[in-house]
Amino acid sequence: ASRLGQRVPRAVFHIDCAGRGKTVLKEAQRRAILGHMQGAFSAKTPWSGAYGYGEVAPVEDCNLFHSYTAVLTVLTSPSRDA
């Protein structure tokens, strides 16, 4: 949220891998992690998401499989001052 500057978050799309879902974590742990992420935004910001079984992303010069990651995409509007 601190990287948004003055831009206003309008919606968040969240993808978690299986390692961060019910497959591995207990419900209380999962809710605590999700609550921490959602707490950075207004309670009115729409939040949608899905679970995958892992992500492929680069680390240095090599694409690697990651199994405990979260991807957030925040849709914003221009700053409040614009």
Side-chain angles (χ1 to χ4, degrees), residues 3-80:
R3 292 174 57 185
L4 294 175
Q6 293 299 311
R7 292 173 292 172
V8 179
R10 297 295 180 194
V12 177
F13 185 67
H14 174 194
I15 300 173
D16 260 338
C17 69
R20 295 174 62 89
K22 293 180 181 181
T23 305
V24 176
L25 298 176
K26 294 180 179 171
E27 184 66 16
Q29 292 171 308
R30 188 188 68 77
R31 286 183 181 267
I33 292 169
L34 184 58
H36 181 72
M37 287 189 286
Q38 289 177 329
F41 299 91
S42 164
K44 295 180 181 180
T45 304
W47 193 285
S48 179
Y51 284 102
Y53 281 100
E55 294 78 30
V56 176
V59 174
E60 296 181 1
D61 294 331
C62 184
N63 285 329
L64 298 174
F65 179 78
H66 303 273
S67 60
Y68 190 77
T69 57
V71 177
L72 293 180
T73 300
V74 181
L75 304 177
T76 65
S77 63
S79 73
R80 292 179 182 99

